[in-house]
Amino acid sequence: MRIFYAGQWHDGNAQIEVRHPFDGSVVDTVPQVGASEVEATLAAAVQGAAVMRKLPGYDRFLILRKAADLLLARQQELGKIISLEVGKTLAEGVFEVTRAAETIELSAEEAKRLGGEVLPLDGAPGAAGKLGFTIRVPCGVVVAITPFNFPLNLVCHKVGPALAAGNAIVVKPASNTPLSALKLVEILLEAGLPPLAIACITGSGGELGKLLCSDSRVRKISFTGSVEVGKQILEVAGIKRVTMELGSNSPMIVLDDADLNKVADAVVATGYGNAGQVCISTQRVIALDRIYPDLLEALKPKVESIKTGNPLAEGTKMGPMIRERDAVRVGEWVSEAVQQGARLVAGGSRQGTLFQPTLLADVQPHMKVAADELFGPAVGVSRARDVSQAITLANHTRFGLSAGIFTQDIDNAIRFAREVDAGNLHINWGPAWRADLIPYGGLRDSGFGKEGPKYAIEEMTEKKTVIIHTQAN
Ligand code: NAP
C-alpha cells in the first residue's frame, strides 16, 4: 500500500514487507520513510490543524459518523486484513472492526459536546460583576504511535478523539501491522475529512518516533506500546501533552466461593485471546489454597481444547504470535519457570510462530512468567492462603493496568477494588474486558492518561479561561 501525508498518497523507495505471521507469506508492502518525509508530514499537519480548527463540531461529527458506517460496510474485508497482518483469527479480526466502528461513532458524538463551564466569580473577593467561563480548543497537531496487536481499533482510539476535538493527526502504526491503519485513512477521506488533517507514515519506530515526538510543532503524543519504548518517547518529548498506554502482567484472584467452571471459562477467554498478545491478558491467576487443585483440574481440559492453527480457517480459536522470536521468548520463559519449580499442566510446545496454549502451576512471583509482561499464550497459577495474601501477590508488580477477582463476597470484592493497584478492575470476570466508551488506562508502569473517546478528547484539547471584566452587576 501507499502511505498518506501532506494531503496525498505516496510511494517510497525502500519497502517494508508485511508478512502473515502464520506462514510468513508477504501480504503487502509499505514504504519505509525517513527524516525528509517526516518534515513534509509535520509541515502539512500544521496547515491541517488550522483547517480543522475552523471546521465546526457538527461537521466533524458528520465526517466521523460517516466513517463509522463505512467501516461497518467494509467489515469483512478489513477483518481479513487484520487477521492477515496480526495473525489473530478471522472472527477476532472482524470483531475488531465492529469495535473500531463503535470507537469512531463514540468520537463523532463527542464532537458535539465540547463545552466549558461558567465560573462562579461572584464568590471570589473583589470579582463581583465579572463573568468567567472556560472554552476548549484543539491542541493542534497530535501524533499517534500504535502497537501491532489491535492495529485498527487502537488507531481509532487516537484518530477518533483527535479529529472530534478539531486537531490534525499523524499516525505511525507498528511496522508489522500498518495496513488497516492505512485503510482507515482511505475511509476517513471518503467520509469527507480534509486531506491535510490526517497522515499515516510507515518506517522504523526508533527513527520516525524520535523525529515526531521531539518536534515542538507536535502538541500531543498519544502512545500505546511497551514500557521500554514509552520511556524513550518521554525522554525526547519535551513540553507537550503525553498519554502512555503501556504493558501489564494482569492478575486474576480466585477466592474459595467462586464457581470454578466460570473461572475456567474466563481464564480461557481472557488469557489466550489473540494468542495472549493483549495488554490486559490474564497472565497471573492467584487462587486460594482450598480450591487450588480443583481449579487446575477445571482449567486443564479447557486450555487443552483451544484449537490452534491457521487464523483464517474456520474453527481456529487461537492463531500464531506476531513473530517467531516472540514465540521463542515465550518458550524460554516457560522453560525457565519449569526449571525454577513451576509445573507444566498444559501446552509448552511451539511450531514456528504458533505457541500452544500453556498452563503453568506453582508459579512464584520472582519467575519471569509472573514478574514481567509475557505477552503470549501462557497463564501461570499461584497459591495464596487468604484474601490478604492474594491482594499482596496481585500488587507484586511494577504494572497496574487491569485485574480481576472471582468471589460472591461483596466485602472482598470491594476490598479488591480499593486495594489492588490497577486502572481497570473486574469483579467476576478476567482482566481482559473493555467496552470502548469506558475510561481506560493504567497506573504505575502501565502508563498514564485515559482513553475512551470522552476522556481522550479532554487530553487532546486545551482548556482556556475567559474573564469578562464587566461593570454591570
Ligand atoms: P512496541 O514495540 O513498544 O511498539 C509500539 C510502537 O512504537 C510501534 O509503532 C513502534 O514502531 C514504535 N516505536 C518503536 N521504537 C520507538 C521509539 N524509539 N520512539 C517512538 N516509537 C517507537 O510495542 P508492540 O510490540 O507493537 O506492542 C506490544 C506492547 O504494547 C505490549 O507491551 C502491550 O502491553 C502494549 N499495549 C498496551 C495497550 C494499552 O492499552 N495499555 C494496548 C495494546 C498494547 P515499529 O513497529 O516500527 O518498531
Side-chain angles (χ1 to χ4, degrees), residues 362-378:
D362 305 343
V363 168
Q364 298 296 323
H366 66 273
M367 297 174 181
K368 246 188 232 156
V369 289
D372 290 336
E373 180 180 39
L374 180 78
F375 220 58

Side-chain angles (χ1 to χ4, degrees), residues 13 45 57 89 102-103 107 129 141 167 170 201 208 227 264-265 305 315 318 320 330 338 345 351 382-383 390 452:
N13 295 329
T89 64
E102 167 82 3
T103 304
S107 303
V141 177
N167 298 292
V170 176
I201 54 175
L208 268 52
V227 178
D265 286 342
S305 69
M318 197 190 92
V330 170
V338 170
V345 179
Q351 301 84 39
S382 313
R383 288 171 177 272

Side-chain angles (χ1 to χ4, degrees), residues 146-149 172 174-175 205 224-226 232 245-247 279 373 440:
T146 52
F148 75 83
N149 59 338
K172 182 0 229 150
S175 294
T224 302
S226 61
Q232 289 171 34
E245 297 283 353
L246 308 177
C279 51
E373 180 180 39
Y440 172 92

Side-chain angles (χ1 to χ4, degrees), residues 81 116 122 134 189 214 220 237 253 274 359 381 391 418 440 446:
I81 290 172
D122 203 42
T134 63
L189 294 173
S214 60
K220 160 84 190 174
I253 294 175
N274 195 16
L359 185 67
V381 191
I391 289 175
R418 291 207 170 111
Y440 172 92
S446 292

Side-chain angles (χ1 to χ4, degrees), residues 243 245 423-424 438-443 448-452 455-457 459:
T243 297
E245 297 283 353
N424 305 286
I438 64 172
Y440 172 92
L443 310 182
F448 49 84
K450 295 286 183 207
E451 287 201 333
Y455 310 94
I457 226 170
E459 304 190 19

